[in-house]
Amino acid sequence: MSVSIGWVLAQPDLAVRLRGGAAGVRREIDLVVTTELDNPFRWLSGGELVLTTGMRLPPDGPGRAEYVRGLDRCGVAGIGFGIGLTHDEVPPELIEAADEVGIPLFEVPLATAFAAIVRHVSARIAELRYDAVLRAGRVQPRMTRALIRSGSRVMVRELANSLGATVLVLGPAGTVIDCHPARPAPALLARVRTVLSRGPAGAGVYTDDSGVITHQQIGIGRRHHGDLVVVSETPLEHVDQILLGHANSLLALDFEQPARLHETQHRLNTQALGLLLGAPADPAPAWEQLDHAADAHGRIRVLVAECDSLDAADSAHTALSDAVLAAGLPLFLHQDSNRVLIVLPADTAVPAIDRPETLGTARKFIRLGLSGPHPVRDLRAAADSAHLAAAAAERGAPPTDVTTLTLLSIPVTRDALATLAGTLLTPLRDHDRHQHTALIPTLRAFLEANGHWESAAATLGIHRHTLRKRITTAATLLDRNLDNARTRAELLLVLLAEPD
């Protein structure tokens, strides 16, 4: 950021007065230096406001004129000449030379310290830099939102308005994809293409009498999607370069997205064709895809919804999908008839899943189970533990975490109970198969309701008289007294451990 000589002249408390070189008052100051050297030129790099009292000014007129010309050749922005010490007034030779070359020369009264000018200019430069940072902070999110909501065209407009320049996005072949404020004239477009053809591969700046062309290549890795070009009257400031880089990154990501989607689609097409032709399937790409579901440590958890009907499973499918997507997570879901399975990052909670009302009225027909953390390659083990948790869950309740189970979590115990279930529940299973009844799910609902008729009937959606008739039939087939709490507890364990 820089300050013009005109701004310094306009500060009333400095009380400086322009004496020569009025044509250059728009020159920009990058730095203020004081010097009394008779030959300061080797120490100057351009953009300085030189303050001097002329202590070692050449004594003759031609020497003094050459002193001014030498400062101008160094690219000095202007000269501030202090009077009242070495010289009572600005030497006329300096004024004439300043008018000749167009370098501004102003008089600094004795009452104005050089340090005051340094402070004023430094403070103004700091203020401009701060304003530029604020502007970048406002523009960057606007560009991001514009790209997401409306595409690259609106983002390019935001960048062009912020820079006060012409912005072009050119494809790899030099065709104009986007531009602002207007489609470039043929001459400008030819000039830009010429610069791109001979400029650096990644980025570059080219300056001529028509202005400045700044360009950056758009791409990631070896993929080249085109070039982002800014045509301006003056070189871009540091903050403008930051905005340009941000826009370039956004465009690269925008171009990459369809490219990656196409690559993924091509890979899926190839695998599907192989399966249809009977070729052996390579699971490696599937594991790579599932890695996107894992947390930072490569772990997953599996959520299983065991549903009493296909309609309930469809409702669970919709509700759970919406919950996962609303949480900003990738959706990995598989539905197999009445069972819905979802893979989640192990360290991420999905609050909506913990709320049974998310499942709507179908929740009373759905049991949810959640596995513990597992590596991605242990997907099968995670799914099995989620099935186990779902088997032990209550309908319409939040997910049962397998890590909270005790007795049923022990493989030996579960195998023993499953063996017992195969024998004890055979009469009920046969009756359901031959008579098209639902004694097993009815008995489970009754036992999970702790023998409360109204609660069990409401869960099943049947009349309590129908429930009583079914439970009486089940008790007769099992030859068990279901009024006994111990009998009910044993039967519930057997039902929870029953194989799918």
Side-chain angles (χ1 to χ4, degrees):
M1 296 294 156
S2 54
V3 176
S4 71
I5 295 291
W7 181 87
V8 176
L9 295 171
Q11 304 310 301
D13 52 335
L14 295 180
V16 298
R17 182 165 65 101
L18 183 67
R19 297 301 308 278
V25 293
R26 297 183 63 182
R27 292 193 184 191
E28 299 288 329
I29 306 167
D30 296 324
L31 180 67
V32 181
V33 298
T34 61
T35 180
E36 300 299 342
L37 298 174
D38 57 353
N39 185 19
F41 313 120
R42 60 180 295 188
W43 310 109
L44 301 173
S45 59
E48 297 92 351
L49 168 59
V50 174
L51 302 179
T52 182
T53 63
M55 291 176 59
R56 303 185 65 178
L57 199 66
D60 58 287
R64 292 178 177 181
E66 182 57 29
Y67 175 83
V68 173
R69 295 189 190 99
L71 292 178
D72 183 60
R73 286 194 295 269
C74 291
V76 166
I79 306 169
F81 196 91
I83 61 173
L85 292 174
T86 309
H87 299 270
D88 293 332
E89 60 181 15
V90 180
E93 297 89 352
L94 298 185
I95 297 174
E96 292 175 7
D99 285 333
E100 175 190 331
V101 299
I103 184 172
L105 169 67
F106 59 82
E107 176 184 286
V108 182
L110 181 62
T112 300
F114 283 178
I117 299 176
V118 174
R119 282 196 300 270
H120 271 67
V121 173
S122 299
R124 178 57 178 167
I125 291 176
E127 180 184 353
L128 291 174
R129 287 176 176 170
Y130 180 69
D131 289 343
V133 171
L134 290 181
R135 175 172 61 87
R138 291 190 296 268
V139 173
Q140 282 181 319
R142 283 210 306 268
M143 287 196 299
T144 303
R145 288 193 296 269
L147 182 68
I148 294 173
R149 294 176 179 174
S150 307
S152 61
R153 179 181 59 82
V154 179
M155 192 217 69
V156 166
R157 184 182 66 193
E158 287 285 351
L159 178 62
N161 290 340
S162 175
L163 301 181
T166 298
V167 176
L168 308 172
V169 178
L170 276 66
T175 56
V176 178
I177 298 175
D178 289 303
C179 59
H180 193 83
R183 187 165 185 84
L188 175 59
L189 186 56
R191 180 168 156 246
V192 168
R193 287 171 175 163
T194 300
V195 170
L196 293 179
S197 66
R198 68 188 181 192
V205 179
Y206 176 78
T207 304
D208 61 15
D209 294 339
S210 301
V212 181
I213 294 178
T214 306
H215 65 93
Q216 293 184 359
Q217 190 175 92
I218 305 169
I220 295 178
R222 296 183 177 180
R223 280 192 287 266
H224 174 215
H225 299 298
D227 293 273
L228 176 60
V229 180
V230 175
V231 182
S232 55
E233 294 182 359
T234 57
L236 298 183
E237 299 283 356
H238 176 66
V239 172
D240 295 334
Q241 293 281 3
I242 292 176
L243 291 176
L244 181 62
H246 181 69
N248 190 319
S249 299
L250 291 175
L251 288 171
L253 292 174
D254 192 48
F255 280 117
E256 278 289 307
Q257 185 175 8
R260 291 185 178 180
L261 287 175
H262 291 154
E263 289 179 3
T264 301
Q265 185 63 58
H266 296 160
R267 188 165 60 249
L268 290 175
N269 292 345
T270 299
Q271 294 169 0
L273 181 60
L275 290 173
L276 292 173
L277 294 175
D282 179 11
W287 287 120
E288 292 175 5
Q289 190 69 16
L290 190 59
D291 284 338
H292 295 294
D295 62 15
H297 303 288
R299 302 173 307 161
I300 58 171
R301 301 184 81 178
V302 171
L303 176 76
V304 166
E306 298 282 2
C307 309
D308 294 343
S309 66
L310 185 58
D311 287 342
D314 291 340
S315 296
H317 182 133
T318 301
L320 296 176
S321 298
D322 292 345
V324 171
L325 294 175
L329 299 174
L331 181 62
F332 287 85
L333 181 148
H334 174 70
Q335 181 175 349
D336 182 11
S337 186
N338 291 7
R339 175 182 294 161
V340 179
L341 181 149
I342 289 182
V343 180
L344 302 168
D347 65 352
T348 304
V350 182
I353 290 178
D354 293 330
R355 298 194 299 268
E357 60 270 20
T358 302
L359 299 172
T361 57
R363 65 181 182 273
K364 61 184 178 180
F365 304 110
I366 300 172
R367 291 175 283 121
L368 299 175
L370 186 63
S371 76
H374 287 264
V376 172
R377 295 303 176 100
D378 287 350
L379 173 64
R380 174 54 59 188
D384 289 344
S385 63
H387 293 323
L388 172 62
E394 294 184 22
R395 291 176 176 83
T400 295
D401 193 326
V402 73
T403 59
T404 65
L405 300 180
T406 54
L407 185 62
L408 289 174
S409 302
I410 303 173
V412 175
T413 304
R414 181 171 175 81
D415 290 344
L417 289 171
T419 301
L420 182 59
T423 303
L424 183 61
L425 300 178
T426 296
L428 301 186
R429 196 177 293 110
D430 291 342
H431 190 280
D432 284 345
R433 184 169 58 253
H434 297 305
Q435 302 298 325
H436 304 291
T437 54
L439 296 183
I440 287 182
T442 300
L443 177 60
R444 174 165 176 162
F446 175 70
L447 296 175
E448 287 180 343
N450 199 24
H452 293 145
W453 299 99
E454 295 291 343
S455 297
T459 298
L460 293 169
I462 61 177
H463 196 275
R464 63 180 180 277
H465 294 320
T466 304
L467 175 64
R468 286 183 180 275
K469 181 178 179 180
R470 292 182 185 178
I471 295 302
T472 300
T473 302
T476 301
L477 292 173
L478 294 172
D479 193 20
R480 293 288 194 278
N481 178 13
L482 298 184
D483 292 331
N484 184 288
R486 179 174 178 176
T487 299
R488 292 201 301 271
E490 291 176 348
L491 281 173
L492 180 57
L493 281 174
V494 170
L495 284 166
L496 293 177
E498 183 187 19
D500 297 326

